[in-house]
Amino acid sequence: MPKDFESSQESYAKEVLREKGLKSTAQRLAVVHVLHTSGKSLSVSEIHQEVKDMLGATGLATIYRTLEMFEDLGIVKRLHFPGGGYGYTFCQGRHVHHMVCVDCKGVFDFPECPVENFDYSSVEKQGFRVKDHFIQLFGQCVKCAEAA
Amino acid sequence: MPKDFESSQESYAKEVLREKGLKSTAQRLAVVHVLHTSGKSLSVSEIHQEVKDMLGATGLATIYRTLEMFEDLGIVKRLHFPGGGYGYTFCQGRHVHHMVCVDCKGVFDFPECPVENFDYSSVEKQGFRVKDHFIQLFGQCVKCAEAA
DNA sequence: ACCTAAATGAGAATAATTTTCAATTGACCT
DNA sequence: AGGTCAATTGAAAATTATTCTCATTTAGGT
Ligand SMILES: [Mn+2]
Ligand SMILES: [Mn+2]
Ligand SMILES: [Zn+2]
Ligand SMILES: [Zn+2]
């Protein structure tokens, strides 16, 4: 029997960390757990608070360090909000885009890529070589639309 | 004869300000000038520096206040960079998207909208109502590609 | 030329992020 | 199971970013 229950998201993160020779610390796994459990985008300090709830005293710097590392590894993605500010969501290394509810910051996956077959010729004529893209949809989720 | 040379971008901003009953101050027009002159995305402190070069002593708070207001008015747009951080670009109230050179932060307009006719049905089935979107392309401009 | 509400500048206050470094710990090897 | 050691962490300080306050200035209307 497995020594404890572990989500596929958590084992995915452990695997990526191991491949890169990085350690699977309790703090790092807690960040994964918190992000994948929450259906919404979380700010750095929200993540910090929830990790403290799980593990007790935890340095805020560790949260910053972990999120930066996870973003580089493609484990999490940083989302931006209209009025400024940002939050993180779990993305498990997949190329996905997200819809964000502007009221509750709920995050919904969006697997189709709107620029998959997009014709960049008009911009590539200017010599610009497109290498990546960032797409985010804003709107209201069912709950918030009903509440309004 | 006109009392001085004024770009269409600057007169556009003056017009929007007047319509809203807001004042066309030297500081606000300098921000417009700086942004539309520079072909690249500028950080708050870069804008502050350039405005000081034009006008002399200028409060940093004024730059923050102006950029927030201009963003609400649709005069400028805030762009985000991969490693974190952001910058502003002029957009003159148009619905455009932007390509950003990851090396020099040069900004290139991108008038076609990749999600114009995009089928949101798969996501709207979840009840999410899409109201807006944010799209940004990353890559290299000609100059930076050659330099590399 | 006034008048007046809007806008500004300077600095204080607050918030966000990064750095430093001694102590801890996870992964690997007996 | 215990030993080793580089990686990681926590706490606090340092730095950087942003907002607030309020006395003074100014744009735009009369
Ligand atoms: Mn995509
Ligand atoms: Mn668009
Ligand atoms: Zn919602
Ligand atoms: Zn470039």
Side-chain angles (χ1 to χ4, degrees), chain B residues 12 16 70 73-77 90-96:
Chain B
Y12 167 77
V16 173
F70 279 2
L73 294 174
I75 293 175
V76 305
K77 189 186 256 189
F90 190 72
C91 69
Q92 200 170 356
R94 295 164 303 155
H95 178 95
V96 289

Side-chain angles (χ1 to χ4, degrees), chain A residues 57-127:
Chain A
T58 302
L60 177 55
T62 297
I63 306 298
Y64 276 103
R65 292 185 279 233
T66 298
L67 291 169
E68 180 181 4
M69 198 191 88
F70 279 4
E71 197 175 7
D72 290 344
L73 294 174
I75 293 174
V76 305
K77 188 187 257 189
R78 185 202 286 237
L79 303 179
H80 297 279
F81 306 117
Y86 61 90
Y88 289 91
T89 194
F90 189 72
C91 69
Q92 201 170 354
R94 296 165 301 155
H95 179 95
V96 289
H97 301 295
H98 295 93
M99 299 178 289
V100 181
C101 174
V102 294
D103 289 341
C104 69
K105 301 203 156 131
V107 175
F108 302 84
D109 273 22
F110 186 124
E112 309 114 86
C113 179
V115 299
E116 181 83 50
N117 300 304
F118 192 73
D119 179 19
Y120 289 134
S121 61
S122 82
V123 308
E124 290 185 330
K125 260 173 214 147
Q126 303 174 50

Side-chain angles (χ1 to χ4, degrees), chain B residues 102-120:
Chain B
V102 295
D103 290 339
C104 70
K105 301 204 154 121
V107 175
F108 301 83
D109 274 23
F110 186 94
E112 308 113 88
C113 179
V115 299
E116 181 82 51
N117 299 303
F118 191 72
D119 180 18
Y120 289 135

